Amino acid sequence: MGFADVLIVGGGHGGAQSALALRQRGFEGRIAVATREGYLPYERPPLSKDYLAGARPLEKMFIRPESFWSDRNIEFLLHTPVVAIEPQLRSAELGDGSRMDYHSLIWSAGGDPRRLSCQGAGLNGVHSIRTVGDVDRIRAQMDGEVKRVAVIGAGYIGLEAAAAFRTLGLPVTVIERMDRVLSRVAGPALSGFYEAEHLRQGVDLLLGHEVAALLGDDAGQVRAVSLDDGSEIEADLVIVGIGIVPAVGPLLAAGAAGTNGVDVDEFCRTSLDDTYAIGDCAAHANPYADNAVIRLESVQNANDMANTVARHLTGEREPYDTVPWFWSNQYDLRLQTVGFSTENDEAVVRGDPDSRSFSIVYLREGRVAALDCVNMTRDYAQGKRLVEARSEPDRDALADPNVALKSLL
């Protein structure tokens, strides 16, 4: 397929933003985006929410219309995975056996859903939620008769899916190996709030349980989830939401440094020449996590890393240094998070959780490290500035919802 000045691997948020930011900065070379999927870039967060529930069609999820990309001479190679790279030759092998040479490579391939390793993991009716194709298969099964849904994993994806299924009136059981929901991303107070909400909405929560096996019928259709205590949960549709495996095999095979994903520096450069990595698969030292090396699975991270690479490729050396933020919609609750809410010293609650509108401010050594804001957009917007400034506010003022957070800067 010839030569690209910049070859972008992956057509998600990071890949799309990389191409767009390059053009916005006046880059005139050939940009090619190779993606395994058959679609132009689309928004991923609605997959486990509105798209799963049938409330938002695919045509309303595209990041930009087709004409936008063609007008900017951004070429998409659909159904085209990159299966190997030769960094010394600056050449990539594509899934059909052809090659694409390049000057610079941006790896934005994200990750693949982590699969269950137990018996029955490959039964019909067992699904992940990562792509439009994943959700289309779920919805196709729902066009038939689904009696009960089991969701394995109580992170954002699992809980959002549970909320969508309950909105559709389906019985749902959520199974989580840890003793609380959202254990990797939230403190105990927020976990308790969401546990109570899902119970109120009719979800069966089974915490502290491992999945021993998935059981199927003679036709290979899942019928139940067997747990570590010997109990069985009836289900003919199972959602597995237990994280992702970074899609970096070709990079590591070519010699890139990395274990959990691929390692990048402050400019998102890998250890391979002229090779960058961004988004879910990029392990980086994050200043808002005390410079711990982490992977950050969020749209914000993918977009901001893409902007960092675009600047670097057009001559501006500005390191990646952005406060992380996330969001999750479940039922009528909008959770907005800024910073990292784990491994903190103190949690201060602003407002009454029973009102379904409150915030939790997390402090580390007296400084504001993160906020979880439920139906409190003002706190989220103003609290972000406290995280950026690493402010040390008065505790009583911080706990008073009538005190604007911006006044505590």
Side-chain angles (χ1 to χ4, degrees), residues 117-396:
S117 57
C118 63
Q119 170 192 332
L123 288 168
N124 296 327
V126 179
H127 305 274
S128 299
I129 298 178
R130 186 72 180 171
T131 67
V132 161
D134 292 334
V135 180
D136 285 347
R137 285 185 286 274
I138 295 169
R139 292 172 61 181
Q141 182 180 348
M142 292 168 59
D143 287 341
E145 184 179 6
V146 173
K147 296 179 180 178
R148 188 168 191 91
V149 178
V151 177
I152 301 172
Y156 286 134
I157 294 295
L159 294 186
E160 288 169 0
F165 286 123
R166 285 301 299 137
T167 300
L168 296 171
L170 289 168
V172 179
T173 298
V174 174
I175 303 160
E176 168 59 46
R177 65 183 299 186
M178 305 301 288
D179 61 0
R180 61 184 178 91
V181 306
L182 301 175
S183 60
R184 289 195 311 120
V185 294
L190 191 73
S191 295
F193 173 80
Y194 274 94
E195 287 166 13
E197 176 65 18
H198 280 276
L199 290 171
R200 190 179 73 84
Q201 296 285 351
V203 175
D204 290 334
L205 283 179
L206 296 179
L207 304 178
H209 284 281
E210 295 270 6
V211 173
L214 301 182
L215 308 178
D217 60 21
D218 292 340
Q221 171 67 36
V222 68
R223 64 169 181 81
V225 181
S226 175
L227 301 181
D228 52 359
D229 61 1
S231 62
E232 294 183 7
I233 307 301
E234 291 186 9
D236 47 13
L237 192 156
V238 175
I239 303 296
V240 180
I242 56 174
I244 68 166
V245 177
V248 293
L251 286 182
L252 299 184
T259 51
N260 179 21
V262 62
D263 295 341
V264 300
D265 67 8
E266 68 272 28
F267 302 110
C268 301
R269 296 177 297 189
T270 73
S271 59
L272 304 176
D273 290 342
D274 295 299
T275 302
Y276 301 79
I278 63 175
D280 295 1
C281 65
H284 64 285
N286 193 290
Y288 296 94
D290 292 334
N291 286 317
V293 176
I294 62 170
R295 287 189 306 103
L296 196 51
E297 299 170 16
S298 75
V299 173
Q300 166 269 318
N301 177 59
N303 286 341
D304 287 335
M305 280 189 159
N307 293 333
T308 296
V309 172
R311 288 193 294 266
H312 197 264
L313 286 173
T314 53
E316 184 178 342
R317 294 173 60 86
E318 182 179 336
Y320 175 77
D321 183 9
T322 306
V323 177
W325 52 266
F326 318 83
W327 78 94
S328 177
N329 294 332
Q330 301 169 43
Y331 308 112
D332 60 341
L333 302 173
R334 179 167 178 80
L335 169 65
Q336 294 170 286
T337 293
V338 58
F340 294 105
S341 58
T342 56
E343 297 186 9
N344 295 296
D345 307 322
E346 186 179 354
V348 178
V349 179
R350 284 172 55 86
D352 181 6
D354 289 340
S355 72
R356 301 166 65 78
S357 180
F358 68 100
S359 299
I360 303 173
V361 185
Y362 300 90
L363 304 175
R364 188 181 304 137
E365 297 181 353
R367 301 179 183 275
V368 176
L371 292 90
D372 285 326
C373 305
V374 178
N375 292 339
M376 284 289 284
T377 298
R378 184 184 68 173
D379 273 7
Y380 164 76
Q382 296 181 11
K384 184 178 179 181
R385 296 168 60 190
L386 295 181
V387 176
E388 290 173 333
R390 294 173 172 82
S391 296
E392 299 182 60
D394 175 77
R395 301 292 195 284
D396 291 338

